Amino acid sequence: QIMMDRGEDDDWFSSSLICTFAVLAFVGIFGAVAWLLYTPKPIVNIRILANRNFALCSILMVVMASVLYGSAVVIPQLAQQVLGYTATLAGLVLSPGALVLAMLIPLVSRLQQVMPTKYIVTIGFVVLGLGMTYSHNLVPNISFNALVVMRTFQAAGLAFLFAPLSTMAFARIRREDNADAAALFTMFRNVSGSVGISLAIAMITERTQVRMAHLSLHTTPLDLGFTLTLQQYQQALMTQGHIAAASGQTAAGLLYQTFRQQASILAYTDIFAACAILAFCAVPVALLLARRPKPAAQPAE
């Protein structure tokens, strides 16, 4: 977690601290797996991952949690840092999505009674991917209502994933393994959510720099569009009473602010595109789930 959170500030593997924590994480993960596999009485029985349905649901939970937590952090950050919203307005952007999610959950529960759960999970990832694809149409002058619709569309897919994924994950787990399965399933959700948040925040900075580098190719006096825009800014300032000698520098400063905002917006669209790709990649995995999982065999009393 420290490596993910500080990687952007410390230039990732150029930092000895990041390299140290990466080695420690690698050794810790593989050491823990080896110990849990060969110890007679492990704290958590990770051998239940041999259960095909549980393993597939764990993978799908990792994808869902990464996209869910990552997008939940990105939207308020976009609203406050780029669009200039207050913390209250940024919170209001998220609220309608939560309401839609609460209203859809009972509908999904009824749907589970007439449709195989694997198809409900598949629909959830398709809707989630479409929501992220729709969010890719982000523009600098987006309205509050459009931002609310964007987040609501993203949240709608989650209603088809929470309960159905848990149902599929535990359908073939033996009663005595329920505690271990619940611990692993919760761990996958929490860890992947934290990683999703860290990656999303790191991607904002990294993709903003990349987008600024691409856009800077057009910010030269040789570019007609840049020159005309700069002249328009300067003319507008002179119309407002600014001195002609100083208006050029002020116009350049205002144009640079617009330049940074557009680079930031493009960086956020890159994040939504990555989330959409991740959600769509989960669709074929969801189709591999058992259509009607049989209950796990219980030991004789």
Side-chain angles (χ1 to χ4, degrees), residues 67 75 124-137 149-157 272-273 275-276 279-280:
V67 175
I75 290 288
F125 279 109
V126 170
V127 173
L128 184 61
L130 291 175
M132 293 298 168
T133 303
Y134 176 76
S135 302
H136 190 260
N137 298 321
V149 171
M150 184 181 295
R151 180 56 189 172
T152 302
F153 197 1
Q154 293 177 3
F272 290 134
C275 289
F280 285 130

Side-chain angles (χ1 to χ4, degrees), residues 34-87:
W35 182 79
L36 290 172
L37 283 175
Y38 293 103
T39 189
K41 294 183 179 180
I43 298 175
V44 177
N45 181 18
I46 63 173
R47 293 182 185 275
I48 59 176
L49 288 171
N51 183 300
R52 179 173 173 270
N53 240 45
F54 182 78
L56 291 174
C57 286
S58 297
I59 294 172
L60 294 174
M61 175 55 71
V62 168
V63 174
M64 189 202 75
S66 301
V67 175
L68 166 65
Y69 288 101
S71 61
V73 170
V74 163
I75 290 288
Q77 186 169 337
L78 165 69
Q80 293 184 70
Q81 296 186 1
V82 180
L83 303 178
Y85 286 21
T86 63

